[in-house]
Amino acid sequence: MDDAAKLLAEMVGEDSLTDVIGSMGLGARNFTWSRPDRSVRSRIDYVFTSKSVRIRQHSMVTVHFSDHRAIRFQGELTGKFLTGPGTWKLNSSLLGREDVQEELRRTYSEWQDMKGTFQSIGEWWEWVKGRIQDFFENVGRKAASRRRKEFSRLQQQLQELHDLQLRGWDVMNPLEAVKKELSDHFHDESRRIIFRSKVENLEKGEKCNSFFFKKIHSAHTPLVQLRNKEGILCDTKEDIRKAVTDF
């Protein structure tokens, strides 16, 4: 096993996870990737869940424009899970949309007309803060709905172009254009996932899977000696750092 596989095995064991596909039983139906002629089949894609999740439905879905099969899984949480109010973060990207700005100005003007119904400005402002959160949550839900519809449209368009290509049509340019739009969609979605995870000190441009690579690098033997440009062997942190900086 390589380092990444060892880390994955450790994570599965430490967090008491279970392999959903493994629970489907033995046989060829468990494969998630295959060669076009089906001469080689392999498990590449995985779904891991907590052992406290009851498996309700699972299936392997053939994807006509990919050599991977999708995994459809539905689980049910067992026991009681206490939920609290949590924290709310404003999706600042919404502020850059002119339609949102205009709607907020119009709505805020209506809120200002309500000042006379409150005993103090402070009481009114506390009420307004709640309305601001409701406003952006509603705008965010509408934006998410539009993204889901756009994603479905792109998926459908990709399938149609793939079918035309199989029939001998030259659709390479529009096919690549749709793939580019889907790639941009997934990139934006990954940014939203990082935003919702409330991860602090995330490096600019860092991807979701960087955590595993960092663990791999951290397991390597640290550098204790380095020759500088004059060929002199440096063995202190300061001298090694200077040699690297000069290089």
Side-chain angles (χ1 to χ4, degrees), residues 75-218:
E76 179 181 352
L77 297 177
T78 58
K80 295 182 179 180
F81 293 84
L82 299 178
T83 59
T87 57
W88 176 73
K89 294 175 68 175
L90 171 63
N91 183 358
S92 57
S93 65
L94 296 173
L95 297 174
R97 289 174 40 185
E98 294 184 3
D99 59 328
V100 174
Q101 295 176 15
E102 183 60 32
E103 185 178 355
L104 181 59
R105 291 190 188 96
R106 182 175 63 256
T107 306
Y108 187 78
S109 178
E110 296 174 358
W111 294 339
Q112 287 182 310
D113 295 337
M114 299 288 293
K115 286 182 181 179
T117 62
F118 292 86
Q119 296 182 354
S120 66
I121 294 295
E123 183 179 342
W124 169 80
W125 177 239
E126 288 299 319
W127 176 82
V128 167
K129 286 193 292 185
R131 303 290 77 74
I132 291 176
Q133 179 174 343
D134 293 340
F135 173 85
F136 279 103
E137 286 180 347
N138 185 49
V139 171
R141 281 192 293 268
K142 292 180 180 178
S145 178
R146 285 194 295 269
R147 289 196 303 271
R148 287 192 296 269
K149 292 179 181 178
E150 177 64 11
F151 175 68
S152 297
R153 184 191 69 80
L154 290 173
Q155 287 280 67
Q156 180 65 30
Q157 189 175 355
L158 184 64
Q159 181 66 65
E160 293 172 354
L161 289 171
H162 177 74
D163 293 341
L164 291 174
Q165 190 179 47
L166 293 178
R167 296 170 189 165
W169 289 55
D170 182 12
V171 293
M172 183 57 66
N173 290 336
L175 192 64
E176 292 300 321
V178 172
K179 287 183 178 180
K180 176 63 169 58
E181 289 188 69
L182 281 169
S183 176
D184 294 340
H185 169 85
F186 288 125
H187 175 70
D188 291 340
E189 284 300 312
S190 67
R191 291 177 54 195
R192 293 185 182 90
I193 291 172
I194 293 174
F195 177 82
R196 290 194 298 269
S197 69
K198 304 177 176 64
V199 175
E200 296 181 356
N201 303 322
L202 197 67
E203 297 177 9
K204 183 177 180 181
E206 188 172 6
K207 303 298 182 182
C208 298
N209 59 355
S210 297
F211 169 76
F212 295 101
F213 292 104
K214 285 184 177 180
K215 288 199 67 175
I216 293 174
H217 295 321
S218 66

Side-chain angles (χ1 to χ4, degrees), residues 36-70:
D37 60 0
R38 300 297 181 94
S39 61
V40 178
R41 300 177 180 184
S42 177
R43 286 191 59 190
I44 295 180
D45 310 293
Y46 292 81
V47 172
F48 295 101
T49 69
S50 168
K51 292 181 179 179
S52 62
V53 176
R54 182 184 295 113
I55 300 174
R56 296 186 60 184
Q57 296 180 17
H58 45 62
S59 61
M60 308 296 293
V61 183
T62 300
V63 182
H64 299 289
F65 46 81
S66 174
D67 55 1
H68 288 252
R69 295 203 299 174

